Amino acid sequence: MPQDKDHGQAIAPTQGSRIDAYVDRYAARATGMVASEIRALFSVASRPEVVSLAGGMPYVTALPLDVVGELVADLVARRGPVALQYGSGQGDPHLREQICDVMRLEGIEANADDVVVTVGSQQALDLITRIFIDPGDVVLAEGPSYVGALGTFSAYQANVIHIAMDSEGIVPESLAQTIYALKSAGNRIKFLYTIPTFQNPAGVTLNAARRQQVLEICQRADVLIVEDNPYGMLGFDGEPMRTLRADNAEGVVYLGSFSKTLAPGFRVGWALAPHAVREKLVLAMESAVLSHSSFTQLAVGQYLATQPWREQIKTFRELYRERRDTMLTSLEALMPAGVTWTRPAGGFFVWATLPEGLDSKALLPRAVSERVAFVPGTGFFADGGGARNMRLSYCYPEPDRIREGVRRLAGVIEQELRVRDTFGTGSSPDRIGVDTPGPDLA
Ligand code: PMP
């Protein structure tokens, strides 16, 4: 770090500075790690007067926080020496058993020995990518896909190829054709990354028939599936969907998380993997962090053992259902003609498409000055797609704020349509650059 010659103190580059003394020394993979220009905008968007339809933050206020507090105090008092000690690289054995009980609700029969507890499912994504991807290897992903996964794939220099998706999830024909074309051109496909249920960002769910087709196509082509399922238990109608992993134990790595069914602050997620992959995952986990926090693992274990967690998930489902309903009825009532959107049956997100000639990224600064924020669609594509899309989340704002946010957004879009109709195009998309939103927006 450069030294201040008068005081001998290290000088950190000022925030926002483009001068980086280390730029020539970074590993090639660091070029894929860039802060987003829209982050600055989102720091404005977090002001209370702005309705944020951008963030993917679970509504943890709905938890019995006093009960969680007592549970944590009790844990330290009774099991402090274990809870505050290093743990195993694979994760607490009892918690891994409990995770198998949770997964059974989605049709998965698993052995706790094949589960690795990770720092959120985000770390599981990182470890899987680390053990499978060499620079240039192909990862298939829905278009659009989860921004945090795309960031990880980019950090490991994967070549992400998108598979077309519609209101019923991945289009199997597109998957089969893409695999065929890539293989014919001599590419190595390392895995298909998919969020089949209540997808982030599109809010759509892969239907049951297509689940079987996707499994068959991947099995035939020998493509591993990474099934990311943080929202699976947050369906608004009926029982949880059967997971891909439930029907194929050997060809699927399943990622789960307590971030949305309990709280992301514990940072407890997991991977359930075929045995050989599980061994690699444990080694990768140890090299990354030695072991996950014993403290938060035991706290989650204690919560599952002593609290009515299924009831709590029901509370979350009802809360998010009401917010989804509010968003859909507000969109219906207020959006100008030509704007379309998905109708999620669970999860946190609606994916909206703007009319021809409009660009969501160009619209964002105007929206923020009208006190509403969303995430522009381009962040969810590795190939520059998504210019006319926006992700609208309903998980965090109260229903009346959702209504007000949609009203403000509709006004901005209407105004933009008038600009388009007068000048032939909406605002220039060049005002802001690449977006890789941070954790609170993921
Ligand atoms: N996958 C998806 C699809 C997500 O939406 C998120 C969080 N927004 C994650 C993984 C990461 O979640 P966590 O690390 O909190 O488990």
Side-chain angles (χ1 to χ4, degrees):
M1 183 164 285
Q3 301 287 307
D4 175 330
K5 62 178 166 26
D6 296 326
H7 301 96
Q9 289 165 341
I11 310 168
T14 51
Q15 216 186 0
S17 163
R18 291 183 186 278
I19 299 164
D20 181 347
Y22 294 92
V23 74
D24 295 335
R25 282 178 257 180
Y26 291 129
R29 76 183 77 88
T31 53
M33 303 173 190
V34 280
S36 155
E37 289 174 51
I38 63 169
R39 281 189 190 202
L41 213 56
F42 282 123
S43 61
V44 180
S46 61
R47 289 189 192 150
E49 67 273 20
V50 176
V51 176
S52 180
L53 305 176
M57 292 188 298
Y59 193 72
V60 290
T61 314
L63 284 167
L65 295 176
D66 49 346
V67 173
V68 176
E70 283 163 23
L71 183 145
V72 167
D74 179 63
L75 174 66
V76 176
R78 285 193 311 108
R79 302 190 62 200
V82 180
L84 301 177
Q85 189 52 273
Y86 286 116
S88 98
Q90 187 171 353
D92 178 64
H94 184 57
L95 178 62
R96 288 190 279 110
E97 296 281 356
Q98 293 171 303
I99 285 172
C100 291
D101 293 340
V102 172
M103 291 192 293
R104 203 161 293 122
L105 299 178
E106 296 180 316
I108 296 177
E109 282 306 325
N111 189 322
D113 198 35
D114 293 329
V115 174
V116 183
V117 183
T118 54
V119 182
S121 51
Q122 186 68 34
Q123 192 199 18
L125 265 170
D126 183 88
L127 300 179
I128 285 290
T129 312
R130 175 137 49 123
I131 64 181
F132 278 104
I133 299 298
D134 285 318
D137 282 346
V138 171
V139 170
L140 304 176
E142 287 133 356
S145 187
Y146 166 51
V147 63
L150 295 180
T152 302
F153 301 151
S154 156
Y156 288 98
Q157 300 167 286
N159 176 16
V160 176
I161 305 290
H162 288 296
I163 307 295
M165 192 166 76
D166 62 19
S167 60
E168 299 291 311
I170 283 185
V171 179
E173 294 71 27
S174 164
L175 176 64
Q177 279 160 14
T178 309
I179 292 176
Y180 179 76
L182 284 164
K183 287 202 163 185
S184 308
N187 289 287
R188 278 196 92 178
I189 304 171
K190 286 298 179 70
F191 56 80
L192 163 69
Y193 168 72
T194 176
I195 309 149
T197 309
F198 318 134
Q199 208 242 15
N200 180 2
V204 303
T205 295
L206 186 65
N207 71 32
R210 284 191 184 182
R211 284 180 190 238
Q212 293 311 317
Q213 287 175 287
V214 167
L215 282 168
E216 271 168 40
I217 291 165
C218 288
Q219 207 160 7
R220 231 180 305 127
D222 197 21
V223 170
L224 176 70
I225 297 175
V226 176
E227 176 180 27
D228 189 7
N229 193 31
Y231 304 99
M233 304 284 280
L234 296 179
F236 305 143
D237 331 284
E239 293 303 302
M241 279 292 276
R242 194 172 169 80
T243 58
L244 297 172
R245 168 57 177 75
D247 291 319
N248 184 348
E250 280 310 305
V252 179
V253 175
Y254 175 93
L255 311 185
S257 176
F258 288 109
S259 289
K260 279 85 189 183
T261 50
L262 173 54
F266 285 118
R267 306 305 300 125
V268 175
W270 69 91
L272 167 67
H275 207 72
V277 178
R278 190 277 280 161
E279 283 180 5
K280 288 276 183 218
L281 276 172
V282 174
L283 294 172
M285 179 73 188
E286 286 169 356
S287 96
V289 295
L290 295 182
S291 71
H292 192 320
S293 156
S294 307
F295 182 66
T296 65
Q297 287 184 80
L298 294 189
V300 171
Q302 190 76 358
Y303 171 81
L304 294 172
T306 63
Q307 300 303 311
W309 58 270
R310 288 179 185 80
E311 285 303 306
Q312 180 60 44
I313 293 176
K314 199 161 160 251
T315 303
F316 278 132
R317 285 208 310 257
E318 280 164 10
L319 184 134
Y320 295 132
R321 186 203 286 119
E322 186 195 358
R323 291 175 186 200
R324 185 270 323 250
D325 289 347
T326 304
M327 177 163 277
L328 291 182
T329 44
S330 307
L331 288 166
E332 204 66 62
L334 299 163
M335 275 294 157
V339 182
T340 58
W341 54 88
T342 57
R343 288 168 176 75
F348 287 1
F349 308 109
V350 165
W351 181 247
T353 305
L354 296 170
E356 210 64 68
L358 262 55
D359 183 289
S360 62
K361 212 188 258 185
L363 209 103
L364 183 61
R366 282 262 309 288
V368 170
S369 58
E370 294 296 327
R371 296 166 296 127
V372 59
F374 59 86
V375 185
T378 45
F380 305 96
F381 285 87
D383 60 6
R388 275 170 53 207
N389 297 111
M390 44 175 71
R391 191 191 73 180
L392 305 176
S393 68
Y394 50 80
C395 48
Y396 198 74
E398 308 272 348
D400 56 338
R401 298 274 289 169
I402 294 175
R403 217 168 288 123
E404 178 57 21
V406 172
R407 193 187 65 73
R408 292 175 190 172
L409 185 58
V412 172
I413 295 172
E414 255 160 31
Q415 212 176 340
E416 201 67 7
L417 283 169
R418 278 196 291 275
V419 173
R420 181 199 67 176
D421 294 343
T422 312
F423 299 105
T425 177
S427 303
S428 161
D430 297 328
R431 277 190 242 151
I432 43 180
V434 236
D435 49 306
T436 47
D440 49 341
L441 299 171

